[in-house]
Amino acid sequence: MSQRRRELVATSAHRKTTSPYELAQVVHDVGRRAGLDAVGIASAEPLSEARRLLHERKAQGLHAGMRFTYKNPDRSTDPQAALAGARSVVVGALRYSRADPVASGDGPTGRVARYAWGDRYAPLRVALHQIADALNHGGFRTLVLADDNSIVDRAIAHRAGIGWFGRNANLLLPGQGSWFVLGSVLTTAPLPSASAPVADACGTCRACEPACPTGAIVAPGVIDAGRCLAWLVQAPGVIPRQFREALGDRVYGCDDCQEVCPPNRIHDRREPPSPPDEGDVATVDLLEWLELSDAELMARHGRWYIAERDPRHLRRNAIVALGNVGRADDPRVVEALRGAVRSSDALLRSHGVWALGRLGLGALVPAHDDDPTVAEEIGLVRAEMNLPAG
Ligand code: B12
Ligand code: SF4
Ligand code: SF4
């Protein structure tokens, strides 16, 4: 996720005499013409089940310290807290999957999850604003929310009859799968909402559960964020050691539980995804990444959710990926990791020590470090490689 944005669209003075059903039709038409793949309408009553789940998962520690919608569950599940007088929520979904790009470059690369290849929230917002304009024209107030924590998007989309909750927690659209970003227009308009939610269509499928590299799907529809790679690459601080190998070449996001999902596969076979958009970033050159300045990294990837807005977390991810996919006989990889263990930043040093150990280059690991986390990592790597303690 990138940075939070919200916009209040001005109230129009003149309310047109259009029935709620006609207005709902206008909303659907405008949304589809604006490029949305699905449009649904929900009532703006509090999302009491999602609220219960947020509190429950927080109490169980499954949120792993995430803030987002967990920061204030009572607000993020109440549309009226975001827009006083809200009566309906129009939900839009926009497909983000694109065909795999042709690989380029000869260095080790890091993988970016599909939702982050390009900014799909920008066209989503444009489409949602067109819906908002139509409602404003009818004299109603609106608030566009996309990539925002003021509402639990999947829960409101489910209520709007757009899709069902998969066992991997994603919202799947019937016949279309889950490669969608979601956004909403909160409005004071009393629109007719979906008559019934979409029925579960996972059926007997269980494909996503064993496909998760870290066992983060702890129960159907329940993700332990502390194990989910998508969170671990965004979280501040040290990536827990037991998940570093599973991270593989990922530097941002994780798609495994969606890649294996039959509705996604069937859809992509029937309608092959369009080519990547201009500027889409599906992979990054890990060695180049480690050379970039803070400003350059943020200029390239600043719209991503980066812990503390500090690009050191991207470098940390790149170092782990380099440990997983770099080659020990590639002098550029060795030099990059030597640079990491010489860094003034203990976070990078400790992951650099791990990466050297992972590549069997324990002999290059320094004997000592004043920082306790780095010193502990050095001790572990030396023990794993049967090297004498420093
Ligand atoms: C926090 C967050 C994360 C966290 C935690 C994810 C999580 N599952 O909680 C992390 C960083 C790990 C994450 C990862 C991803 N995220 Co995210 N994330 C969010 C965010 C900000 C809040 C989600 C939230 O409130 N969760 C709270 C819990 C209670 O809800 P839930 O886990 O979504 O569970 C729902 C269902 O599973 C269902 N449910 C609950 N119990 C049960 C039981 C059964 C049996 C079943 C079937 C269902 C079910 O109810 C819940 C909703 O009420 C939303 C944006 C937003 N404002 O809503 C995006 C959002 C959910 N993320 C999104 C995306 C794209 C992703 C990733 C695919 C990105 C990636 N490739 O790396 C992964 C997918 C990981 C996964 N399998 O869920 C999209 C999802 C679109 C979709 N089609 O579903 C959203 C909606 C952003 C957006 N606006 O488009 N995300
Ligand atoms: S995003 Fe990756 S780590 Fe998270 S639940 Fe899905 S497969 Fe597991
Ligand atoms: S992989 Fe199967 S069980 Fe998992 S979400 Fe997709 S259809 Fe449902």
Side-chain angles (χ1 to χ4, degrees):
M1 282 151 291
S2 62
Q3 70 212 41
R4 167 190 159 89
R5 272 207 213 155
R6 47 172 27 205
E7 260 179 65
L8 191 59
V9 179
T11 309
S12 156
H14 304 290
R15 183 169 304 218
K16 293 256 166 66
T17 50
T18 314
S19 80
Y21 290 91
E22 285 167 332
L23 198 52
Q25 194 53 52
V26 170
V27 158
H28 274 95
D29 292 347
V30 169
R32 297 306 289 246
R33 269 205 307 276
L36 295 177
D37 294 281
V39 178
I41 298 174
S43 81
E45 294 302 307
L47 296 158
S48 46
E49 178 61 4
R51 181 176 298 177
R52 189 187 67 74
L53 288 170
L54 286 168
H55 283 298
E56 185 180 282
R57 293 190 192 171
K58 236 175 141 170
Q60 293 169 341
L62 294 174
H63 70 312
M66 289 185 310
R67 293 171 72 77
F68 305 120
T69 47
Y70 284 92
K71 185 177 168 200
N72 190 337
D74 295 342
R75 284 188 70 82
S76 60
T77 53
D78 183 4
Q80 300 191 18
L83 178 70
R87 297 182 67 182
S88 314
V89 183
V90 182
V91 180
L94 187 71
R95 176 171 285 279
Y96 60 77
S97 63
R98 292 284 180 267
D100 286 325
V102 180
S104 60
D106 63 347
T109 52
R111 192 164 24 135
V112 176
R114 287 171 189 277
Y115 81 112
W117 287 8
D119 186 359
R120 294 301 281 163
Y121 289 112
L124 175 66
R125 269 187 213 108
V126 169
L128 294 172
H129 275 294
Q130 290 187 24
I131 292 176
D133 287 347
L135 290 163
N136 293 152
H137 190 68
F140 301 102
R141 285 182 296 121
T142 54
L143 175 67
V144 171
L145 297 175
D147 193 21
D148 191 285
N149 301 315
S150 304
I151 196 156
V152 179
D153 291 324
R154 287 169 175 158
I156 196 75
H158 182 254
R159 182 189 278 173
I162 281 192
W164 82 93
F165 294 129
R167 298 173 83 87
N168 61 11
N170 285 294
L171 192 90
L172 287 101
L173 280 60
Q176 303 210 63
S178 62
W179 300 118
F180 292 93
V181 283
L182 305 170
S184 297
V185 183
L186 277 50
T187 178
T188 52
L191 301 172
S193 50
S195 48
V198 172
D200 167 72
C202 286
T204 55
C205 179
R206 301 280 183 278
C208 48
E209 294 178 31
C212 174
T214 56
I217 307 173
V218 291
V222 183
I223 306 296
D224 178 353
R227 307 182 70 86
C228 179
L229 297 174
W231 172 240
L232 294 176
V233 291
Q234 293 185 354
V238 168
I239 296 178
R241 227 174 177 260
Q242 72 266 35
F243 302 125
R244 291 183 200 159
E245 279 192 40
L247 207 56
D249 62 347
R250 295 175 191 80
V251 288
Y252 195 75
C254 169
D255 282 338
D256 286 23
C257 56
Q258 295 189 89
E259 299 273 9
V260 297
C261 181
N264 284 340
R265 289 170 163 250
I266 293 166
H267 178 273
D268 288 358
R269 264 202 306 274
R270 205 177 54 233
E271 275 179 53
S274 44
D277 290 342
E278 174 116 17
D280 272 6
V281 180
T283 56
V284 299
D285 180 329
L286 294 172
L287 297 170
E288 187 200 8
W289 243 33
L290 289 172
E291 296 277 306
L292 294 178
S293 67
D294 283 3
E296 286 165 329
L297 270 174
M298 291 309 272
R300 286 191 193 184
H301 307 296
R303 69 180 167 73
W304 289 353
Y305 178 89
I306 299 170
E308 296 156 358
R309 304 297 302 151
D310 189 337
R312 72 205 276 255
H313 295 106
L314 296 181
R315 293 194 188 97
R316 169 202 65 184
N317 298 350
I319 291 167
V320 174
L322 211 48
N324 286 323
V325 299
R327 288 177 37 165
D329 61 358
D330 181 341
R332 297 169 308 166
V333 170
V334 177
E335 203 34 54
L337 293 180
R338 288 176 86 119
V341 296
R342 284 195 299 260
S343 164
S344 56
D345 183 342
L347 183 71
L348 304 189
R349 290 204 303 283
S350 67
H351 290 78
V353 167
W354 176 85
L356 282 171
R358 171 102 170 101
L359 291 177
L361 298 169
L364 301 180
V365 167
H368 306 282
D369 198 291
D370 289 342
D371 180 273
T373 314
V374 187
E376 188 188 346
E377 190 67 55
I378 290 173
L380 289 166
V381 167
R382 293 183 82 86
E384 279 163 4
M385 302 201 70
N386 291 322
L387 294 167

